[in-house]
Amino acid sequence: MNHQTLLTNYLSNLQVELYMVNYNRCDSDWRDLDYTPDYSKFYWISEGEGWLKIGDQEYYPVPGQLFLMPEGVTQSYSVISDQPFLKYWCHFSAKVGGINLFQILKFPHFCTIEHPELVNEIFNQILLYARSGEVYAHMMAKSKLMELITHYLMNLDLEQITYLNIPVMEKMSAILTYIDAHIEENITVQDLAQIAYMHPNYFIRFFKQQVGIPPIHYITGKKVNRAKELLSCTPNTITMIAEHLGFRDLYYFSRLFKKHTGLTPTEFRKQTTRLVT
């Protein structure tokens, strides 16, 4: 399993929470040294000057650079002139299976944004929804925060993203590779726990922490995706496809498929055939 596939599995199960967002000019006494926040931050500078230290690296941000200051990393900041930052900023959390994303992956501390007007618009929309009293506003603010994180990723070289716990990454890579290679068989938790050298009960907790869902749910989702491919691209009967994927009970397979897609296998095949023709 390559780096990008494992990264995709983490990000597809990302859960975010927005704590605070604002657009303002920093005060002349804007300064804090060597503190470790229990939230993550984005800084998006409109104008002005200032200094940041993230871990052991120092920066002087300029407009067009989106800065990420991860939870759990020692940081400092300060004004450096009589022209302090005018900036958008937000505090948030990003978790996979209840674990802080930035304990799993190490990201560059900033990226240069190709289309800064899009980031301005996203921040303005986060602000709008964060200040709204509508019942749906918090959900919209979170969706815009997810969009901001997506823009951050889109402007990175993915090779710059590294794993903080290499043994865990290698173990997860081996497990997910095994699932992909044996998706047409009956894969059990015991099989996967053996690969990870773990007791099955501990393995289930470990997998859910890393991926965000239990292993059986993950395997089922993979089987349904494979069934969708086979229904779209082969003339095989639904019974043949179900058996090929290890489902001996056609009714159970159809019910599971509909639970995941909203359509029965027959309905799905009709829809995709219509799209192709």
Side-chain angles (χ1 to χ4, degrees):
M1 165 121 352
N2 63 33
H3 171 91
Q4 192 166 334
T5 308
L6 191 54
L7 181 61
T8 300
N9 275 293
Y10 282 129
L11 296 178
S12 64
N13 289 287
L14 187 63
Q15 295 180 309
V16 300
E17 192 62 54
L18 177 68
Y19 299 139
M20 292 183 70
V21 60
N22 210 342
Y23 178 59
N24 64 324
R25 190 173 294 279
C26 297
D27 295 329
S28 57
D29 61 352
W30 184 70
R31 175 185 171 88
D32 202 348
L33 301 179
D34 296 327
Y35 73 104
T36 306
D38 56 2
Y39 50 84
S40 298
K41 297 187 287 186
F42 273 124
Y43 281 176
W44 176 243
I45 310 300
S46 292
E47 60 183 61
E49 299 176 319
W51 167 80
L52 301 179
K53 186 177 182 183
I54 309 170
D56 57 359
Q57 294 177 277
E58 297 187 48
Y59 302 98
Y60 297 87
V62 297
Q65 295 174 333
L66 181 59
F67 267 82
L68 170 66
M69 305 174 75
E71 171 186 343
V73 175
T74 302
Q75 302 166 17
S76 303
Y77 59 79
S78 176
V79 296
I80 57 172
S81 73
D82 59 0
Q83 295 179 309
F85 286 141
L86 173 66
K87 63 180 172 65
Y88 291 94
W89 57 272
C90 66
H91 296 176
F92 68 97
S93 71
K95 294 183 177 180
V96 176
I99 299 176
N100 168 17
L101 176 68
F102 306 114
Q103 288 178 343
I104 301 170
L105 298 168
K106 183 178 181 181
F107 292 82
H109 294 147
F110 75 92
C111 68
T112 302
I113 297 293
E114 196 171 328
H115 299 289
E117 67 282 359
L118 295 179
V119 175
N120 284 336
E121 179 62 21
I122 293 169
F123 262 112
N124 282 325
Q125 289 182 320
I126 296 173
L127 277 164
L128 176 69
Y129 291 119
R131 292 168 179 174
S132 168
E134 298 290 349
V135 292
Y136 57 78
H138 185 66
M139 292 173 64
M140 287 298 297
K142 283 172 65 171
S143 74
K144 290 297 171 183
L145 171 59
M146 188 69 90
E147 194 176 334
L148 183 62
I149 294 170
T150 303
H151 271 278
Y152 187 81
L153 291 166
M154 287 167 62
N155 284 274
L156 291 178
D157 176 354
L158 294 183
E159 294 304 315
Q160 296 175 287
I161 303 172
T162 56
Y163 291 85
L164 291 171
N165 191 330
I166 297 298
V168 167
M169 184 273 289
E170 289 175 342
K171 192 167 285 190
M172 282 305 306
S173 182
I175 292 161
L176 298 181
T177 299
Y178 179 89
I179 292 171
D180 280 347
H182 297 83
I183 199 60
E184 292 160 359
E185 302 169 18
N186 284 317
I187 304 169
T188 67
V189 167
Q190 285 72 18
D191 294 333
L192 301 179
Q194 200 167 6
I195 295 167
Y197 301 103
M198 292 179 182
H199 186 279
N201 291 344
Y202 180 75
F203 171 77
I204 291 169
R205 291 197 299 273
F206 167 78
F207 189 96
K208 188 174 181 182
Q209 277 186 332
Q210 295 300 318
V211 178
I213 55 175
I216 294 302
H217 291 189
Y218 180 86
I219 293 165
T220 301
K222 283 284 188 176
K223 282 183 180 287
V224 169
N225 286 340
R226 180 67 180 136
K228 286 160 69 176
E229 291 174 15
L230 294 171
L231 287 164
S232 303
C233 305
T234 74
N236 296 349
T237 66
I238 292 167
T239 301
M240 289 169 64
I241 290 169
E243 289 177 350
H244 182 68
L245 291 168
F247 295 99
R248 301 197 178 191
D249 184 335
L250 182 59
Y251 173 74
Y252 174 70
F253 168 72
S254 297
R255 194 178 64 184
L256 199 66
F257 189 93
K258 185 169 183 179
K259 183 179 177 183
H260 277 256
T261 66
L263 300 170
T264 66
T266 303
E267 290 167 342
F268 179 84
R269 176 165 266 172
K270 284 180 182 174
Q271 289 272 12
T272 53
T273 304
R274 197 176 299 132
L275 288 172
V276 170
T277 55

